[in-house]
Amino acid sequence: MTFPDISSKCLGNVMRVDVGPLGGNFLEVAVVVNDSAILLTPSLASQCGFSIKINQMGNAMIYASLQNCFAQNVGDKAFTTTLTLRLHGNRMAEDELYQVAETCQYAAWASREIVCDRNYMEHFFTFASQKQTIDAGFRITTIMFYIPVEKVMGVTEAQRSGYGIANTPSRLVLRSPKTTPETYTQNVAGVHMTVRRGLELMTFLFDVYALCIGSVSFTPNTITWYLPRHIDPLISSGQLQLLEVHIGVDGQRLDPAEMAARQYSLSINDVHIIIQIPVGAVGGYFKSHVQDDHYHTSYTIEPMLELLWTEDSIHEDTRYKVLFPITTPLLSRPPQVIDNTVPEQRMFKVLLGPFGSDVALMNISFPYEVLSVADCIARGFTVLEHMSPNSSSKVFMLEVPFTDPVVSQTRDMGYTVYSLHLTFGLLVLPEFAPFSHPVYLEAKLVDIVPPSVSGGCDYQNFYVLVQYGTQGANFQTIVGKQLLTSDLAEQYSFMENGTHLSFAVPFSSPDVVFEAIESSSVKTRLDVALLNPETNKNIKEFSLACNFPSTLIECFPNGTMTALAVKLESVPSLNPGQLTLRDPTCGPSYSDDRYAYFVFTGNSCGTTRKFFPNMMLYANEISLPDELEKIRESNTEDPEYELKIACYYDINTTHAVAFHTRPRRSEPYAENAKGELQVAMRLAVDDSYSVFHRAEDYPLAKYLQQPLYFEMELMRSTNPRVSLELENCWATLNSNRTSKPRWNLIIDGCANPVDPYQVLFHPVWVDARVQYPSHFKRFEVQMFAFAEDQDNLNRQVISTIQILFTDGKSVYKDVNINHSSHKTLHSLQLFVHCDVVICDARNPLGGVCSGPVFKPGKRDER
């Protein structure tokens, strides 16, 4: 056990020792005399000039008169008092002992000093004021009291009655408890005062008067203390001069600035001295009380009034000091309930108070259970106690989430009503007086339906539907890992109205994740998130998984095999362009950051052959070369990528065909006739070939080396056995396809080998628009122009071009060019012409029908 803080100070003719806080321990005070400790009992304290006060915070103040019974007096100017303080705690700890001694210098004694303390009245009378000669052998023999009749009492009898009687060579002291029978009440200037009057008979006769306290009135906010300005029994003549007036608290004077800060006031009229103190002012404290389960408070303060006056006729001065403990009547203080609930935070927040610092929260009762403070905190409630800056009052704060079972919920016209019934269980300490206060809280919250995401798939697209909910479109849509911008929305057929939005994402979109490859399909996933732009947090996440049918491996009767390798989510570091067949020199014919497309034959690129009964297997596999696989394994934790390729061919298969004959009615003959196969050329926006320029878009402005994406289509043909092949494509300066100069782009189905910027061919796959890939051809050309010298066939890069299409009979591209180069160039037109061939896919017959000849892989970066 640690002893509390101790300090001592001299306050005029009184010494004060402050001890605290006591922390619930009992303080025992003893006076040290000749190395012996004398326990200070209540009766001994009032007889010898001691008093003890303990406030509601557990702080003790011990007051001792300078001329108490045990003080060491040096020349009636220096007074030393020694106290022993003992704290009694629980039995498990040893009592703490502390000794404090204080010497106070006090030489400015008035002729007469009267002190009215909380438990005694004290009168000092200085002999020198009477110019009397006192020898060392005088003694007090008799005391006569007026109550108001005369009562004679011997000194021994007076001391047995609790009076303190002492003298020094220059001063007489008479001290009496306030509760002695010789004390009575007297009306002085309309103020009831406690009076004790006595005559002390020694060699001389002294008339000793003591009047204390005064009268007090109360309002709910103010304490008013009245004392008579002329205390008649203490004044021998009608004329006096008031020299000093001091106000203080707990025996200590306050200067004018401190009084103003505490809002104390002092006024003096012809009759009274009036002191007004606000209820709750600094220097006092509140005490809590309970009556009929209702909360009340009282306010206690101990003001001090100190006067110094002189009477002109007798030339004597009097110092008069009153320490007056004042406690107000009980005031009803119903605690206030402050509802700080913000419904959108989904949390009840309530403040209850104010209460005195001696009130403790014990539990909180709900309709079906009672929880202690510890239970509330364990339940997830917030329970806090907030003290005022001067620690004189406190409030309790409680937070209860709407989701807790103690909160009731009802629905009402688009609102959810949350209600909470509770009762605070409180105690007043140290009396352990219980009381309670009920509270009802209610909050309304607009029913919020969050946005929802749903979707489905067909054989080529993801379809996503987003319903807004009650908050409208207060979110941003994330598709895959990118924001759904207006440009992206246009590509995804975005639609919206006031309640929902929808869009379609192609299976081949970069926003689609490839999860796994199955025998005849690709397992894919599309991630969609709704983002709150204010918090930058997702308010809804949705993943749509679909299996899209896809022919990854094709086996042709002529022994040609094709395989499409796709980049899976499980191998994010894979570069498809680095994949090869078993033979590392066989790379993809086409690749990008998601795909690698391989074309090879059964007798190339490390393809193996295995015979089975009635069947033959050709097998290969796609993977990274060993040296690249080792580098990848050292840098990432991605699994190994491997795609098995297998083609089965029937052996010795016999097909039985039944038929019967009938006589021919006429000899067969062939009829010549004219037919029309229409071929169309289009210009795509990009290499996805999903969006094309319309007729009203032309002419188009382009920049240097900007690629153009051409698509040739065999129109209105549903025959899967025919194919469209490009034979020759070339550029001229006018619409005459035979004009000069001429620059070849495609020769016999292959890119011009001397062209520094060779044509790039793009594969065609089945999708929503392409039913028969053999009816389409796609290629890419970087923009160029001829030099001014028509005999010079070098290509010149142009600054801008304008592209036009002419009639549908000829297949060509009309380009209007504005030149910009080191030479002086004229404005001219550039025409691109193509010859196409329609082939029988079952019987190619050679030439371009056997397929184009071009190097596999991507064009080198230039």
Side-chain angles (χ1 to χ4, degrees):
M1 182 169 59
T2 303
F3 211 90
D5 295 334
I6 297 176
S7 62
S8 59
K9 62 181 67 176
C10 301
L11 305 174
N13 52 15
V14 176
M15 179 189 81
R16 193 180 86 186
V17 179
D18 296 332
V19 184
L22 301 179
N25 298 304
F26 175 72
L27 176 65
E28 180 182 274
V29 182
V31 185
V32 177
V33 179
N34 298 326
D35 297 328
S36 297
I38 301 174
L39 183 64
L40 201 59
T41 63
S43 59
L44 182 62
S46 61
Q47 184 176 24
C48 287
F50 292 90
S51 66
I52 301 176
K53 169 188 173 181
I54 300 177
N55 63 19
Q56 91 289 1
M57 301 300 293
N59 299 307
M61 285 175 277
I62 305 169
Y63 296 88
S65 172
L66 293 190
Q67 285 199 264
N68 63 75
C69 302
F70 310 103
Q72 298 180 18
N73 185 344
V74 179
D76 272 352
K77 294 182 180 180
F79 307 89
T80 301
T81 300
T82 303
L83 301 177
T84 298
L85 309 178
R86 184 187 300 271
L87 273 185
H88 295 280
N90 58 62
R91 297 182 180 179
M92 301 299 295
E94 185 178 352
D95 293 344
E96 290 281 337
L97 191 66
Y98 190 88
Q99 191 173 88
V100 57
E102 182 70 35
T103 299
C104 295
Q105 305 287 337
Y106 189 69
W109 288 94
S111 303
R112 178 174 56 174
E113 297 202 4
I114 300 169
V115 177
C116 297
D117 208 326
R118 55 178 42 241
N119 59 337
Y120 64 87
M121 296 182 289
E122 189 174 49
H123 193 128
F124 299 93
F125 191 86
T126 301
F127 300 147
S129 64
Q130 297 286 342
K131 297 186 173 64
Q132 297 165 336
T133 303
I134 308 299
D135 61 36
F138 81 89
R139 64 186 180 89
I140 302 172
T141 58
T142 305
I143 300 176
M144 180 180 294
F145 292 98
Y146 296 85
I147 53 174
V149 298
E150 295 179 0
K151 179 181 179 180
V152 178
M153 185 181 299
V155 172
T156 303
E157 181 184 0
Q159 290 175 336
R160 284 199 301 266
S161 298
Y163 287 92
I165 303 170
N167 66 276
T168 67
S170 61
R171 189 167 295 110
L172 170 69
V173 180
L174 175 62
R175 187 180 300 109
S176 65
K178 287 185 177 180
T179 56
T180 58
E182 292 74 34
T183 302
Y184 61 95
T185 300
Q186 180 177 340
N187 189 306
V188 180
V191 177
H192 294 283
M193 304 189 70
T194 301
V195 180
R196 187 261 300 145
R197 182 187 181 193
L199 292 175
E200 298 191 12
L201 305 178
M202 305 178 293
T203 308
F204 305 98
L205 179 66
F206 299 93
D207 191 354
V208 182
Y209 247 111
L211 290 91
C212 293
I213 299 179
S215 62
V216 181
S217 65
F218 302 96
T219 67
N221 300 313
T222 305
I223 300 171
T224 304
W225 179 21
Y226 298 90
L227 284 97
R229 178 174 180 175
H230 297 275
I231 306 176
D232 294 336
L234 299 179
I235 299 173
S236 59
S237 64
Q239 298 296 325
L240 65 84
Q241 183 178 358
L242 193 59
L243 303 178
E244 297 179 11
V245 179
H246 301 284
I247 299 290
V249 173
D250 295 330
Q252 185 168 354
R253 293 178 181 178
L254 299 177
D255 59 36
E258 290 175 309
M259 288 181 57
R262 301 185 185 196
Q263 298 182 337
Y264 294 5
S265 69
L266 170 67
S267 59
I268 303 175
N269 57 34
D270 294 338
V271 180
H272 297 114
I273 298 173
I274 304 170
I275 301 168
Q276 288 189 314
I277 301 172
V279 173
V282 176
Y285 62 90
F286 284 100
K287 180 71 182 78
S288 300
H289 307 270
V290 178
Q291 285 188 349
D292 300 328
D293 200 38
H294 290 89
Y295 181 67
H296 295 73
T297 61
S298 63
Y299 174 73
T300 297
I301 192 169
E302 187 172 294
M304 178 193 76
L305 176 65
E306 184 176 345
L307 306 177
L308 177 65
W309 71 78
T310 182
E311 297 182 59
D312 296 335
S313 59
I314 59 176
H315 302 291
E316 290 185 350
D317 53 354
T318 300
R319 189 176 301 279
Y320 177 77
K321 180 189 293 187
V322 181
L323 287 78
F324 182 24
I326 300 174
T327 299
T328 66
L330 296 187
L331 299 173
S332 177
R333 300 286 189 186
Q336 299 178 14
V337 176
I338 302 176
D339 186 357
N340 290 331
T341 302
V342 178
E344 289 72 20
Q345 297 177 357
R346 298 181 177 272
M347 181 83 68
F348 279 116
K349 297 181 182 180
V350 61
L351 291 175
L352 182 68
F355 296 103
S357 59
D358 54 353
V359 172
L361 176 63
M362 301 305 296
N363 55 50
I364 302 176
S365 300
F366 300 97
Y368 303 106
E369 56 185 330
V370 178
L371 301 178
S372 66
V373 173
D375 292 337
C376 289
I377 295 173
R379 182 79 158 258
F381 302 170
T382 299
V383 183
L384 297 175
E385 178 183 289
H386 296 293
M387 295 292 294
S388 63
N390 60 3
S391 300
S392 63
S393 64
K394 67 173 68 170
V395 296
F396 297 104
M397 186 191 78
L398 173 67
E399 294 183 356
V400 179
F402 286 1
T403 55
D404 193 89
V406 299
V407 178
S408 301
Q409 299 183 27
T410 58
R411 301 277 178 160
D412 181 21
M413 299 294 290
Y415 290 86
T416 299
V417 180
Y418 299 89
S419 57
L420 179 62
H421 294 266
L422 67 152
T423 301
F424 288 87
L426 304 123
L427 281 180
V428 174
L429 303 175
E431 297 85 354
F432 292 94
F435 69 103
S436 61
H437 191 83
V439 174
Y440 173 72
L441 302 173
E442 182 178 288
K444 285 186 177 182
L445 195 60
V446 177
D447 289 335
I448 297 177
V449 178
S452 62
V453 185
S454 59
C457 311
D458 61 11
Y459 66 94
Q460 60 184 359
N461 289 320
F462 289 90
Y463 296 96
V464 178
L465 177 67
V466 179
Q467 292 183 328
Y468 293 162
T470 56
Q471 299 297 305
N474 63 336
F475 54 82
Q476 294 176 332
T477 305
I478 307 296
V479 181
K481 294 183 179 180
Q482 62 178 331
L483 183 66
L484 184 63
T485 61
S486 57
D487 293 340
L488 192 61
E490 184 177 355
Q491 296 180 33
Y492 289 165
S493 303
F494 178 86
M495 293 187 298
E496 68 173 333
N497 59 21
T499 61
H500 69 275
L501 62 85
S502 65
F503 54 91
V505 180
F507 150 73
S508 59
S509 167
D511 295 319
V512 175
V513 175
F514 296 146
E515 294 183 320
I517 298 174
E518 300 181 354
S519 58
S520 60
S521 64
V522 178
K523 184 179 180 182
T524 61
R525 188 184 77 249
L526 178 65
D527 296 324
V528 178
L530 305 182
L531 178 72
N532 185 333
E534 295 181 358
T535 62
N536 205 31
K537 294 182 179 179
N538 289 341
I539 58 178
K540 188 70 176 180
E541 295 179 349
F542 177 77
S543 294
L544 183 60
C546 292
N547 281 35
F548 284 94
S550 179
T551 303
L552 299 179
I553 300 173
E554 288 190 277
C555 307
F556 295 95
N558 64 355
T560 300
M561 292 182 285
T562 63
L564 180 66
V566 297
K567 181 178 179 179
L568 301 179
E569 183 184 31
S570 58
V571 284
S573 63
L574 177 68
N575 180 359
Q578 295 177 333
L579 294 171
T580 67
L581 294 166
R582 279 191 185 135
D583 184 348
T585 63
C586 294
S589 300
Y590 169 80
S591 67
D592 59 18
D593 60 348
R594 306 188 76 210
Y595 303 97
Y597 182 66
F598 293 84
V599 180
F600 59 101
T601 61
N603 58 359
S604 66
C605 297
T607 306
T608 60
R609 183 175 62 180
K610 188 175 184 180
F611 289 92
F612 295 95
N614 300 321
M615 190 171 292
M616 185 168 57
L617 168 66
Y618 287 88
N620 210 319
E621 62 185 35
I622 298 173
S623 63
L624 283 175
D626 291 342
E627 62 275 10
L628 293 179
E629 179 64 28
K630 291 179 181 178
I631 295 174
R632 189 193 61 80
E633 288 180 351
S634 64
N635 294 329
T636 70
E637 298 181 358
D638 296 350
E640 182 180 357
Y641 185 91
E642 187 176 72
L643 176 63
K644 301 290 186 180
I645 305 171
C647 285
Y648 292 88
Y649 291 91
D650 292 334
I651 303 176
N652 300 326
T653 300
T654 301
H655 296 280
V657 179
F659 66 95
H660 65 276
T661 62
R662 72 179 182 185
R664 186 180 293 167
R665 294 181 180 180
S666 62
E667 291 297 324
Y669 67 95
E671 180 179 356
N672 293 328
K674 290 185 178 181
E676 182 177 309
L677 289 177
Q678 185 175 357
V679 178
M681 177 185 284
R682 302 183 187 90
L683 187 60
V685 173
D686 54 33
D687 61 358
S688 68
Y689 289 93
S690 59
V691 181
F692 296 86
H693 292 291
R694 297 169 296 179
E696 57 267 25
D697 293 340
Y698 298 99
L700 297 175
K702 295 291 182 176
Y703 294 95
L704 294 175
Q705 297 185 2
Q706 192 165 1
L708 292 177
Y709 303 95
F710 291 97
E711 179 182 87
M712 305 287 291
E713 180 186 2
L714 176 59
M715 305 293 291
R716 298 190 181 92
S717 175
T718 59
N719 186 352
R721 294 176 295 181
V722 300
S723 65
L724 173 71
E725 302 296 338
L726 295 174
E727 186 176 34
N728 298 293
C729 291
W730 65 97
T732 64
L733 293 174
N734 56 56
S735 60
N736 184 356
R737 53 192 282 117
T738 62
S739 63
K740 299 295 183 177
R742 162 178 171 150
W743 182 257
N744 291 320
L745 301 174
I746 298 174
I747 303 174
D748 294 330
C750 301
N752 183 358
V754 299
D755 190 345
Y757 301 103
Q758 291 189 2
V759 170
L760 177 65
F761 295 91
H762 291 285
V764 183
W765 298 322
V766 175
D767 58 22
R769 196 172 60 82
V770 178
Q771 185 176 6
Y772 305 108
S774 62
H775 293 183
F776 291 80
K777 281 294 177 287
R778 293 171 177 168
F779 63 94
E780 175 185 336
V781 178
Q782 285 197 358
M783 295 322 301
F784 69 96
F786 291 112
E788 182 179 13
D789 184 358
Q790 296 191 2
D791 294 328
N792 182 1
L793 297 185
N794 291 332
R795 296 174 61 170
Q796 303 293 320
V797 177
I798 64 171
S799 60
T800 63
I801 65 169
Q802 293 182 327
I803 303 166
L804 301 169
F805 284 102
T806 61
D807 59 77
K809 296 179 181 178
S810 302
V811 182
Y812 58 83
K813 176 179 67 173
D814 184 1
V815 182
N816 182 16
I817 307 166
N818 295 323
H819 291 275
S820 176
S821 68
H822 296 292
K823 297 182 179 181
T824 302
L825 300 178
H826 303 289
S827 176
L828 49 84
Q829 289 186 325
L830 179 66
F831 292 80
V832 174
H833 314 269
C834 285
D835 290 336
V836 299
V837 177
I838 308 300
C839 302
D840 185 348
R842 298 172 302 172
N843 187 18
L845 297 178
V848 295
C849 288
S850 298
V853 179
F854 59 94
K855 282 189 177 182
K858 295 188 291 186
R859 172 188 289 147
D860 295 335
E861 295 295 334
R862 298 186 292 273

